[in-house]
Amino acid sequence: MTSTPSRISPMAETYPASSIRKMFNLALDFPDAVKLTVGEPDFNTPEHIKAAGIRAIENDNTRYVANAGIPELRQALARKYSGRWGRGLGPENVMVSFGAMEALTFALDVTVSPGQEVIVPDPSFPNYLGQVHRLGGVAVSVPVREENEFKLRAEDVLAAVTDRTAAVIINSPSNPLGSVMDRTEIEQIAELADEHEFTVISDEVYDEMVFDDAEFTSVAEVRADFDRFLAVGSFSKTYAMTGWRCGFVIGSQDYIAPMALLQEGLTSSLPGFVQEAAVAALDGPQSVVDTMVASYAERRELMVERINAVEGLSLIRPEATFYAFVNVREWGLNSWDLATRLLEEHNLATIPGSAFGRAGEGYLRLTFAVSPETINTACDRLEAFAAGR
Ligand SMILES: Cc1ncc(COP(=O)(O)O)c(C=O)c1O
């Protein structure tokens, strides 16, 4: 008997499934579970931003708009990041995208050909692997170690560079690690990029969510003449706008220009009313961001204090984001089994560290963008698990 060839492409058949989503789906069977799983703000989108979106719909901004984004938004982003990075940027350096996810797609599309390698930190945001896979690229992992305070090192990147390396993805501040890379390491990675002719794709979606005791450096700030980078950003986390799906990527014009053509064949454009809301987010009071970040910083304190008091658990104090990456090795279970038992036996949903790569084994990711009561209840349950071992 001859076997029928699959109708489904090998790319789609072998697309790497996200274990975050797998755990999320498992948790659906436990509707009363305390959930520390979701990677999004627990705030609603600020009123003035919602109002701008509603106004735009009422004013009939409901038609197709420019592929690369409305000029007002590209201009506003160029203005914001020119000021921050001390670089002369114009709208031609900015591409507006469906969230940072699509910005990453574009960044990889314009820099990576099938068979080429993309260096990806491990642990890191699992969608990077899927994106590289779609392109027919080869993801090469570099470890980010707890003994280096969960900060990617340039020397580890160098060890993974080959003549097939087309891009290196860095993610500072990091999901899931909550760490911020040191400026010197980013400077060295920029040197390597020039020397070995690869592009640094820097996922900076948490750039505003940095706490007082840390200093964030963008890849765009390391050297005025460094231009082998694409910096990916988003309104999702900064302005509590995950569902609006508005992101962007900034870089040299030669990288950015082809993205508009690619967008035409993908989604054509992001809705104009979403983009008007994004302009309102940039032009409006930034105190809304400060208030949210101050609140995450307070909740970080509670999370750190409670986790460190649980027998067998430890964590590095997160410097940014709303994630704690908790070392659970002393408990002696693999992270998937542990997360499953916490869910089934204690009604507590967490994300196993292995969802973020092999080097994430031995950890759990806990979100602290939840109420202090939820953090306390979750930590009570972790204590109960520790006591029952
Ligand atoms: C590191 C990282 N990059 C990108 C994204 C995607 O963000 P967006 O909602 O803008 O697509 C996320 C969302 O969780 C993230 O954590």
Side-chain angles (χ1 to χ4, degrees), residues 6-274:
S6 171
R7 305 200 302 195
I8 308 304
S9 73
M11 186 283 284
E13 274 198 326
T14 58
Y15 191 85
S18 160
S19 304
I20 299 185
R21 184 53 69 171
K22 228 165 93 188
M23 185 47 75
F24 186 87
N25 290 343
L26 197 62
L28 291 178
D29 292 338
F30 298 80
D32 303 330
V34 165
K35 293 191 175 67
L36 300 187
T37 42
V38 280
E40 66 180 342
D42 60 341
F43 293 98
N44 293 325
T45 303
E47 290 303 326
H48 67 281
I49 302 175
K50 289 195 283 196
I54 293 165
R55 218 168 31 244
I57 293 175
E58 284 171 351
N59 289 338
D60 295 313
N61 188 351
T62 54
R63 298 193 164 81
Y64 295 131
V65 294
N67 297 136
I70 61 171
E72 298 83 346
L73 180 55
R74 296 176 82 195
Q75 202 101 46
L77 284 164
R79 223 173 16 246
K80 170 176 173 178
Y81 285 96
S82 293
R84 286 197 153 207
W85 297 340
R87 271 179 183 264
L89 298 169
E92 66 282 3
N93 298 111
V94 180
M95 173 75 196
V96 174
S97 58
F98 272 84
M101 288 307 312
E102 198 195 29
L104 286 161
T105 308
F106 289 140
L108 289 163
D109 276 348
V110 301
T111 55
V112 182
S113 298
Q116 286 191 311
E117 293 173 357
V118 180
I119 293 177
V120 180
D122 178 8
S124 68
F125 186 50
N127 288 330
Y128 300 146
L129 297 182
Q131 296 241 358
V132 173
H133 175 88
R134 285 179 83 95
L135 270 175
V138 179
V140 177
S141 293
V142 287
V144 189
R145 302 187 177 89
E146 184 168 359
E147 65 259 34
N148 295 334
E149 296 175 309
F150 285 135
K151 296 172 194 247
L152 177 66
R153 290 289 184 90
E155 66 191 40
D156 290 323
V157 171
L158 175 60
V161 170
T162 71
D163 56 7
R164 291 181 303 283
T165 305
V168 173
I169 297 179
I170 63 174
N171 172 222
S172 172
S174 163
N175 169 17
L177 303 170
S179 58
V180 178
M181 280 177 71
D182 292 338
R183 184 184 183 105
T184 50
E185 301 299 323
I186 302 178
E187 281 171 354
Q188 286 171 31
I189 291 170
E191 294 293 325
L192 293 176
D194 278 340
E195 196 180 324
H196 297 273
E197 299 184 348
F198 61 75
T199 303
V200 183
I201 298 174
S202 184
D203 180 345
E204 303 183 357
V205 301
Y206 297 96
D207 64 345
E208 303 264 11
M209 295 178 49
V210 180
F211 306 136
D212 291 346
D213 45 0
E215 205 169 312
F216 165 73
T217 306
S218 166
V219 70
E221 291 173 294
V222 294
R223 231 179 42 229
D225 65 345
F226 179 63
D227 74 349
R228 280 186 172 274
F229 73 84
L230 282 161
V232 168
S234 179
F235 290 81
S236 287
K237 319 284 173 169
T238 308
Y239 295 100
M241 290 176 71
T242 48
W244 296 75
R245 310 305 303 125
C246 191
F248 52 92
V249 50
I250 303 181
S252 292
Q253 205 181 341
D254 58 332
Y255 285 133
I256 297 294
M259 295 179 185
L261 306 178
L262 298 173
Q263 183 68 298
E264 174 63 18
L266 271 177
T267 64
S268 177
S269 64
L270 196 67
F273 53 86
V274 168

